Amino acid sequence: MSGVVFDLDGTLIDATLDIHACATEMLEAEGLAPLSPETIQGFVGNGLGKLITHCIEASGLEDSPARHKRMYDRFHARYETAVEHTVVFPGAVDALEALKAEGYRLGLCTNKPEGPTHGVLRHLGLERYFDAFAYGDGPYPRKPDPAPVRHIIDQLPVRRVLYVGDSEVDAATAQAAKVPMALYTRGFRKTPVEELYHDAHFDDWSELPAIAARLAPRPE
């Protein structure tokens, strides 16, 4: 059996505006000026704890444990229901439908915490596509450590797997897990495509089923 493991933010969905709204509320509660959406987007991908650290540093503050926890808790409380402006990238749902119809098992591997992950998946109608999950607050290291991908592979279970992501973190994760990588080029990536680990890249979701058939073929 074969599987496809997806990143979430920047790959399947664009949650930039909702993440920015949470960060703005958090910063204003500390008496700090908001950061731009582009700045906040650059902090996405390494988990919520790292995002809070980057916000504190970008605001010129010292990252003390007490301040970090207070800001983390405020962000997380708002983040649980922050779905108003989040959208699915065009064509992604059709690709998920096609892969399921072809018999692939699908997993979701995100550094987003479990609560916000399922909140946004339910809101967007995506939860039903996935057979296994790994989260940023799970009992294993976060991406780019390969442990979350291996956790999903163990849950599915599958003999072949393709990892689909959009960022430097995703490329490093797939490389560490020693699995083929399909890079979605319209996500949050900052590095040129040719400098990132990947076996295929695409900017149109209709291309993904054929990529999966080539890199993680289903047994006959």
Side-chain angles (χ1 to χ4, degrees), residues 5 107-110 132-135 139-159 161-163 172-179:
V5 178
L108 187 75
C109 186
T110 177
F133 300 87
Y135 315 100
Y140 32 72
R142 290 189 299 271
K143 299 185 296 182
D145 193 283
V149 174
R150 291 172 181 157
H151 175 72
I152 288 179
I153 293 171
D154 289 343
Q155 288 179 78
L156 289 175
V158 291
R159 294 180 58 194
V161 66
L162 171 67
Y163 185 92
T173 301
Q175 186 171 25
K178 297 181 172 61
V179 297

Side-chain angles (χ1 to χ4, degrees), residues 1 6 8 27 30 33 55 57 64 72 82 108 138 155 164 192 210:
M1 186 171 288
F6 294 86
L8 183 58
L27 291 167
E30 296 288 316
C55 285
E57 292 173 348
S64 70
Y72 181 102
L108 187 75
Q155 288 179 78
V164 182

Side-chain angles (χ1 to χ4, degrees), residues 47-70:
L48 182 51
K50 285 287 190 181
L51 186 146
I52 303 304
T53 296
H54 290 317
C55 285
I56 291 171
E57 292 173 348
S59 299
L61 300 177
E62 182 180 348
D63 188 8
S64 70
R67 173 178 285 130
H68 192 282
K69 183 179 186 306
R70 183 174 66 246

Side-chain angles (χ1 to χ4, degrees), residues 29-30 39 80 86 94 112 117 122-123 165 196 217:
E30 296 288 316
T39 298
E80 289 277 355
T86 297
D94 290 341
K112 190 192 288 287
T117 294
R122 284 191 295 269
H123 176 73
L196 291 177

Side-chain angles (χ1 to χ4, degrees), residues 116-132:
T117 294
H118 284 282
V120 73
L121 290 177
R122 284 191 295 269
H123 176 73
L124 296 171
L126 299 178
E127 199 172 32
R128 64 191 177 92
Y129 292 106
F130 299 102
D131 305 294

